[in-house]
Amino acid sequence: SPAALAYYLDASSPAWLLSIGKSLDIFSLWSLALSGFGGAIVAKVKPMQGIMVVFGLWLLYVIVKTGLATAFS
């Protein structure tokens, strides 16, 4: 998808870079932001706290995914 950074990377790029590039998709980031706002409303906390929790969990997922891509490439 042209919305992901990996679309613009060469296919011979390292696996870890392609993994991160696939995660940096404008639509995924937008849905994470909306999930953070929604979570903040439901939890009755400040919007930034909800966004930080959602992005923190996403960042943890990306780190694990990138590590696995590196380990098995």
Side-chain angles (χ1 to χ4, degrees):
S1 161
L5 183 61
Y7 180 81
Y8 302 103
L9 296 174
D10 190 42
S12 63
S13 297
W16 65 269
L17 186 59
L18 287 172
S19 177
I20 291 173
K22 289 177 185 176
S23 298
L24 292 175
D25 180 353
I26 190 70
F27 297 112
S28 297
L29 295 175
W30 179 246
S31 68
L32 287 170
L34 291 178
S35 297
F37 279 120
I41 291 170
V42 170
K44 296 182 179 159
V45 296
K46 293 180 182 176
M48 189 53 77
Q49 288 177 323
I51 291 172
M52 287 175 56
V53 167
V54 170
F55 274 96
L57 291 172
W58 173 79
L59 185 62
L60 180 65
Y61 163 74
V62 170
I63 290 170
V64 169
K65 184 178 88 159
T66 302
L68 290 173
T70 303
F72 294 109
S73 65

